[in-house]
């Protein structure tokens, strides 16, 4: 297993190097270059030259690239051209919200998608199956932002059941310890002896998680249904029944244990959709995560930040996929013992 | 019996037979026809927009603003007094054309890269696929977001950005099918009978490798409509105030969610229904083109 | 009383392409410790018959139209699901064709064996594990304690089938149904597995139903044979009788399409012409008539019942001397059986009736 992980990490290196080159070129090729991105379109040539000199952009490209890589390896992702803040600092501040949001969405997608898929498979081609099929069709066809606003309107504006702004209520004055709103809320609840901060944090994450989780939900539902139907026809399921096992054990142990394999693969594929969807969800629900930061940075032409964030997103995506693959190998002995 | 069915399905047939069969199956597939109907409605609406609506999609009277749906304004009016129905109709022009052309760009780019990689193999294959890996490392819409921020605003830029962001998926899919087909019995048979590599690629492999590509392209059309609207929503749309675009309409409307939810509802519904249309058609095509899936 | 009495079993499948008439009135009896072969080409209903007895027909398509399967005095088709579950694995066990796909690939052999034992006996996991080790040793798997921790893909095909046999015999069942147990195995392994199966069954006095398309397998393994065609039992006899004096044209065809080393000089290898009938049509007449060289007009209209030859008074369905019975209107003579075609001057197989004749 260790060898498997090492091999995967080594395989990721050229991909990340390639991406860093592309991103490096991307910033260089910006209309007018980074300087005019900083100074705006009406900067004088003299000012631009000064800034280029100050940023070290006059030296040979390959020197600049290796310096850039050197800084990256030291954990220096650069600083914003716009406000001078270090990318790493802001990232650590914002990333917990994005994790919380995507985990919430994943929880929603898996927690609901697998039971829905199982029910649909059990009643395949019946009425319930039809309803589930229509739900999942809507799930993959509705954009995050449309669903987000629809949920915000009904559950926030109309019913006042759930908050639709941010991941925590700032008026509660919860101290930022971990920057994970739910964990901070839980800590504040423990210290203050009131459940309010924790409940508040949970309430805030519900609607964004549903909005972001709708596509993975639909995909997980579909694949679970298909996998359960396929596995149910396998010879070993017939064997399990012929041994006199209860239907429950046949379902949980023999069918689901195998159906989890394709579901796991799909969850890995959907991790990318979740990360990209976080960009939209955080915009809809005004969440100060990494996703909304990407959008802000692009609007502000803050390309150093964009460059670093894209690279970070790629690394996260790879790490998630590695975790999923390890999970898959764990579930599938044919991979584990080969 | 299953073995014979699989053999039959894998046997190359003349294009007409395959496509004729597929079309027949598609026309018997209820959900696919519903999808086709949805798409047709939007295409007609987009084409006939000037006839269907007397209003101008870009200029309204401020005095007419914020009207709820009525007979005069089927979907109400927006903050600038523009007729929402008219804007949804004109928005279909952008969404459908940009979405479909973006997928075509992606399909063309992916087919070129994928067929070279899958056809040539060896070092070139390795190099191209590493490049595809690099692009796939940036998750989904994020790649399109970065590309459009680089290419600049405009319809063509969006088409290119979304198209490029889909092309690695097409390339990988095509390469995968080509590699599988290369090992198939009938290609080995054709090779053993001395057919030229180009002829094998074009006559024997491509027709079979294209079917999953076509299915994927149709499904991606749904994703493209959603992604194009997403770019518009993030303020990376065509950026032309004279153009009505569903995503930008939603951004504008989001400020008025509390009082004028219908401004979100109609463009939102337009995106959802057109995406459902392409998803249903794509699923139908998949079933029609792959007889092994027949229940 | 017989251990198992199947009578007039009718099984149909409802599919998108119409109703499949898979089993059309099958009856047979089986005594304790007896071995019965079910022979026929694929799709003849031999597997379906046994899945029906186990109530494991594929759902929702397959269903038992009528008939009964009385096992130890109770009709398996009448008892409730939990009672049936108690019988499965404990009183009636099954072994399937492909050991590659019949064992769950993601569960250790240990779990698959232990769960079987614990589904029917209130024993601790530890005791069940001990029993599993003992069973693996019994079927000849070396280092059973170590192999218990392995997954199916770590075993060879023959070893996997041994595991299946161990699992099937775990609860000392009274009846073992083996559905093509060696078809997927290498020829060299087949004999080993068959020998193991028959030895263990004999030691325990376990009755065996052996399903196979291979008459050669039946010859060495079973005392009695049912030949099935298109959902009917067309001939039943003691195995030795069947080989010595096949009565049904289909059985004759089967025997002649099987290459034999001991074939006499000039004895032809004759394939059975034509294809099996489309089971989506409700059966009319004898299903073998379209392929039969002995067909007479009556064959196209009525299906003959399974009956003894003239002169037999009492019919024995089981035991040491079962009655040789056949379902045929025009039984070939022993000479014809050797030649594999009719030997009567001027005789031609009756052609299928025209639509007008059927209408009349």
């Amino acid at each position: 297993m260790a060898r498997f992980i090492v091999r995967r990490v080594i395989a990721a290196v050229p991909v990340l190097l390639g991406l860093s080159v592309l991103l490096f070129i991307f910033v260089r090729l910006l209309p007018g270059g980074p300087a005019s991105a900083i100074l705006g379109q009406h900067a004088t040539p003299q000012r631009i030259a000064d800034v280029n000199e100050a940023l070290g952009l006059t030296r040979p490209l390959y020197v600049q690239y290796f310096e850039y890589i050197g800084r990256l390896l030291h954990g220096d992702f650069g600083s914003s051209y716009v406000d001078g803040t270090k990318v790493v600092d802001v990232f650590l501040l914002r990333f917990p919200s994005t994790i919380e949001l995507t985990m919430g969405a994943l929880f929603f997608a898996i927690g609901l998608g697998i039971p829905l898929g199982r029910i649909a498979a059990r009643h395949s081609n019946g009425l319930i199956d039809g309803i589930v099929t229509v739900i999942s069709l809507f799930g993959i066809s509705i954009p995050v932002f449309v669903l987000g606003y629809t949920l915000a309107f009904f559950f926030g504006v109309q019913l006042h059941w759930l908050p639709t702004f941010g991941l925590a209520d700032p008026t509660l004055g919860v101290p930022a310890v971990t920057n994970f709103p739910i964990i901070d809320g839980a800590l504040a609840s423990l210290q203050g002896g009131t459940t309010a901060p924790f409940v508040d944090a949970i309430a805030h994450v519900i609607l964004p998680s549903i909005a972001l989780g709708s596509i993975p939900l639909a995909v997980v539902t579909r694949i679970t249904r298909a996998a359960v139907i396929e596995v149910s026809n396998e010879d070993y399921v017939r064997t399990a029944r012929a041994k006199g096992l209860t239907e429950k054990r046949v379902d949980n142990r023999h069918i689901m244990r195998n159906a989890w394999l394709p579901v796991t693969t799909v969850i890995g594929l959907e991790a990318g959709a979740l990360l990209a969807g976080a960009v939209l969800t955080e915009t809809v629900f005004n969440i100060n995560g990494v996703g909304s930061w990407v959008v802000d940075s692009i609007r502000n032409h803050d390309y150093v930040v964009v460059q670093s964030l894209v690279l970070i997103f790629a690394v996260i995506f790879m790490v998630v996929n590695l975790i999923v693959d390890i999970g898959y190998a764990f579930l599938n002995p044919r991979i584990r013992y080969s | 019996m299953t073995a014979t069915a699989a053999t039959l399905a894998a046997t190359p047939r003349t294009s007409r037979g395959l496509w004729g069969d597929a079309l027949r199956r598609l026309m018997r597939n209820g959900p696919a026809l519903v999808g086709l109907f949805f798409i047709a409605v939007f295409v007609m609406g987009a084409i006939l927009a000037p006839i269907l609506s007397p209003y101008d999609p870009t200029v309204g009277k401020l005095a007419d603003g914020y009207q709820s749906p009525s007979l005069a304004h089927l979907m109400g009016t927006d903050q600038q007094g523009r007729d929402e129905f008219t804007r949804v109709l004109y928005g279909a022009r952008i969404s459908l054309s940009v979405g479909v052309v973006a997928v075509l760009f992606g399909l063309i780019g992916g087919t070129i890269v994928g067929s070279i990689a899958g056809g040539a193999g060896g070092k070139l294959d390795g190099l191209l696929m590493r490049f595809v890996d690099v692009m796939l490392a940036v998750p989904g819409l994020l790649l399109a977001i970065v590309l459009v921020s680089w290419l600049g605003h405009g319809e063509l830029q969006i088409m290119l950005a979304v198209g490029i962001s889909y092309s690695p998926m097409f390339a990988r899919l095509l390469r995968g099918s080509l590699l599988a087909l290369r090992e198939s019995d009938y290609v080995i048979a054709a090779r053993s009978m001395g057919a030229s590599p180009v002829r094998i690629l074009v006559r024997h492999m491509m027709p079979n490798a294209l079917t999953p590509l076509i299915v994927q392209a149709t499904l991606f059309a749904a994703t493209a409509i959603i992604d194009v609207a997403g770019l518009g929503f993030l303020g990376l749309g065509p950026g032309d105030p004279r153009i009505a675009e569903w995503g930008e309409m939603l951004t504008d409307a989001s400020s008025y969610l509390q009082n004028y939810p219908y401004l979100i509802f109609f463009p939102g519904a337009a995106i959802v229904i057109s995406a459902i249309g392409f998803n249903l058609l794509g699923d139908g095509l998949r079933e029609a083109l792959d007889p092994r899936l027949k229940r | 009383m017989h251990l198992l009495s199947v009578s007039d079993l009718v099984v149909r499948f409802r599919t998108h392409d119409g109703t499949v008439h898979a089993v059309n009135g099958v009856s047979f009896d089986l005594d304790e410790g007896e071995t019965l072969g079910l022979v026929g080409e694929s799709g003849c209903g031999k597997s379906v018959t046994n899945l029906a007895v186990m109530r494991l027909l594929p759902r929702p398509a397959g269903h038992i139209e009528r008939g009964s399967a009385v096992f130890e005095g109770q009709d398996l088709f009448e008892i409730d699901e939990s009672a049936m579950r108690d019988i499965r694995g404990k009183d009636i066990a099954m072994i399937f064709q492909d050991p590659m796909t019949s064992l769950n690939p993601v569960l250790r052999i240990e779990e698959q064996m232990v769960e079987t034992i614990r589904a029917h006996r209130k024993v601790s996991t530890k005791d069940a594990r001990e029993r599993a080790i003992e069973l693996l040793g019994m079927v000849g798997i070396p280092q059973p304690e170590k192999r218990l921790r392995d997954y199916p893909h770590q075993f060879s095909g023959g070893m996997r089938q041994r595991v299946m046999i161990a699992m099937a015999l775990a609860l000392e069942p009274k009846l073992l149904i083996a559905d093509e147990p060696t078809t997927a195995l290498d020829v060299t392994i087949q004999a080993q597995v068959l020998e193991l199966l028959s030895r263990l069954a004999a030691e325990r006095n376990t009755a065996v139903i052996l399903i196979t398309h291979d008459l050669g397998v039946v010859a060495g393994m079973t005392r009695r044979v049912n030949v099935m065609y298109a959902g009917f039992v067309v001939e039943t006899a003691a195995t030795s009788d069947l080989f010595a004096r096949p009565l049904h044209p289909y059985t004759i065809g089967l025997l002649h399409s099987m290459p034999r080393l001991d074939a006499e000089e000039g004895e032809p290898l004759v394939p059975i012409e034509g294809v099996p009938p489309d089971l989506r049509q409700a059966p009319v007449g004898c299903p073998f008539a379209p392929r039969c060289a002995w067909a007479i007009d009556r064959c196209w209209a009525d299906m003959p019942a399974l009956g003894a030859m003239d002169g037999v008074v009492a019919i024995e369905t089981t035991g040491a001397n079962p009655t040789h019975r056949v379902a045929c209107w025009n039984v070939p003579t022993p000479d014809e059986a050797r030649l594999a075609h009719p030997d009567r001057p001027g005789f031609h197989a009756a052609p299928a009736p025209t639509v007008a004749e059927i209408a009349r």
Side-chain angles (χ1 to χ4, degrees), chain A residues 248-299:
Chain A
K248 199 174 140 202
R249 186 162 176 96
V250 173
D251 256 5
N252 292 336
R253 205 63 194 146
H254 288 264
I255 295 178
M256 276 322 286
R257 195 58 179 60
N258 282 279
W260 264 106
L261 295 176
V263 173
T264 308
T265 307
V266 156
I267 289 171
L269 295 174
E270 284 306 303
L274 277 178
L275 287 171
V279 174
L280 296 161
T281 317
E282 289 177 10
T283 305
V284 171
F285 289 97
N286 298 289
I287 294 167
N288 288 322
V290 182
S292 55
W293 191 20
V294 173
V295 179
D296 291 346
S297 306
I298 283 176
R299 281 188 191 141

Side-chain angles (χ1 to χ4, degrees), chain A residues 125 235-236 238-239 241-247 249 253-254 257-258 261 331-334 336-337, chain C residues 54 56 59 85 88-89 96 101-107 111-112 115-116 119-120 151 153-154 164:
Chain A
N125 298 330
D235 289 349
Y236 54 77
R238 194 181 51 186
T239 308
R241 292 211 172 91
K243 295 195 300 190
L245 303 184
T246 59
E247 231 9 63
R249 186 162 176 96
R253 205 63 194 146
H254 288 264
R257 195 58 179 60
N258 282 279
L261 295 176
L331 287 172
N332 189 347
R334 279 161 296 190
R336 210 181 335 151
Y337 292 88
Chain C
M54 288 289 268
L56 287 174
R59 289 171 294 183
R85 206 160 49 227
R88 283 190 207 122
F96 297 101
T101 57
S102 298
L103 288 166
N104 194 324
V106 301
L107 303 179
E111 175 169 352
Q112 301 191 52
E115 71 177 358
T116 313
H120 299 287
Y151 289 91
H153 74 272
Q154 292 166 294
M164 283 297 292

Side-chain angles (χ1 to χ4, degrees), chain B residues 35 70 100 133 181 187 191 199 206 217-218 245 250 263 275 286:
Chain B
S70 65
V100 170
D133 284 344
L181 285 168
V187 168
R191 204 178 295 141
R199 189 183 153 77
M206 285 304 264
T218 314
E245 198 276 327
L250 281 165
L263 291 177
R286 194 203 323 259

Side-chain angles (χ1 to χ4, degrees), chain A residues 11-322:
Chain A
V13 170
V15 174
L16 287 175
L17 274 179
L19 184 62
S20 71
V21 172
L22 281 189
L23 287 168
F24 183 76
I25 296 169
F26 152 77
V27 174
R28 267 334 94 116
L29 291 184
L30 283 170
S36 82
I38 297 171
L39 299 169
Q41 287 167 358
H42 306 294
T44 62
Q46 182 55 47
R47 286 272 290 144
I48 289 178
D50 290 347
V51 171
N52 279 344
E53 186 67 44
L55 291 174
L57 299 179
T58 48
R59 289 169 303 147
L61 270 182
Y62 69 92
V63 175
Q64 295 181 42
Y65 176 74
F66 283 117
E67 279 183 5
Y68 165 65
I69 291 293
R71 285 197 301 271
L72 282 185
L73 289 178
H74 287 93
D76 178 5
F77 283 81
S79 303
S80 161
Y81 284 160
V82 174
D83 54 19
T85 49
K86 282 195 142 173
V87 171
V88 174
D89 294 346
V90 181
F91 179 80
L92 292 177
L93 210 61
R94 282 174 170 255
F95 190 48
S97 292
T98 304
I99 294 184
E100 196 173 296
L101 170 65
T102 44
M103 289 311 252
L106 203 58
F107 195 69
F108 169 71
I110 297 174
L112 194 59
I114 290 192
L116 276 182
R118 290 177 74 170
I119 294 170
R122 179 171 287 272
H123 304 275
S124 69
N125 298 330
L127 178 66
I128 294 173
D129 188 21
I131 294 170
V132 171
T133 305
V134 171
I135 291 174
S136 63
L137 180 64
F138 264 96
I140 50 166
S141 302
I142 193 163
V144 169
F145 44 97
V146 172
L147 181 60
Y149 282 127
T150 310
L151 291 171
F153 176 72
F154 282 111
F155 295 101
V157 176
Q158 289 284 305
L159 297 168
H160 296 288
W161 284 0
L162 292 165
T164 61
F165 199 99
L167 282 184
D169 184 351
T171 62
L172 292 177
V174 174
V177 183
T178 60
N179 289 322
F180 286 94
I182 288 179
I183 298 177
D184 286 350
L187 290 174
S189 286
L190 283 175
Q191 273 164 2
T194 158
T195 55
F198 181 63
V199 171
D200 172 72
I202 295 282
H204 271 86
V205 85
I206 292 176
L207 292 182
S209 298
I210 295 174
L212 179 56
S214 69
I215 292 177
L217 168 70
V219 176
V220 168
T221 305
R222 279 185 166 201
I223 199 77
T224 305
R225 175 187 179 275
V228 168
I229 289 175
E230 197 182 314
V231 173
S232 300
N233 290 323
E234 292 287 349
D235 289 349
Y236 54 77
V237 172
R238 194 181 51 186
T239 308
R241 292 211 172 91
K243 295 195 300 190
L245 303 184
T246 59
E247 231 9 63
K248 199 174 140 202
R249 186 162 176 96
V250 173
D251 256 5
N252 292 336
R253 205 63 194 146
H254 288 264
I255 295 178
M256 276 322 286
R257 195 58 179 60
N258 282 279
W260 264 106
L261 295 176
V263 173
T264 308
T265 307
V266 156
I267 289 171
L269 295 174
E270 284 306 303
L274 277 178
L275 287 171
V279 174
L280 296 161
T281 317
E282 289 177 10
T283 305
V284 171
F285 289 97
N286 298 289
I287 294 167
N288 288 322
V290 182
S292 55
W293 191 20
V294 173
V295 179
D296 291 346
S297 306
I298 283 176
R299 281 188 191 141
N300 296 333
H301 305 285
D302 201 346
Y303 291 107
V304 169
V305 177
V306 175
Q307 183 185 16
S308 297
L309 286 184
V310 171
L311 208 52
I312 293 171
F313 263 93
V315 173
I316 297 168
F317 190 25
M318 283 177 176
V319 170
V320 171
N321 269 307
L322 180 61

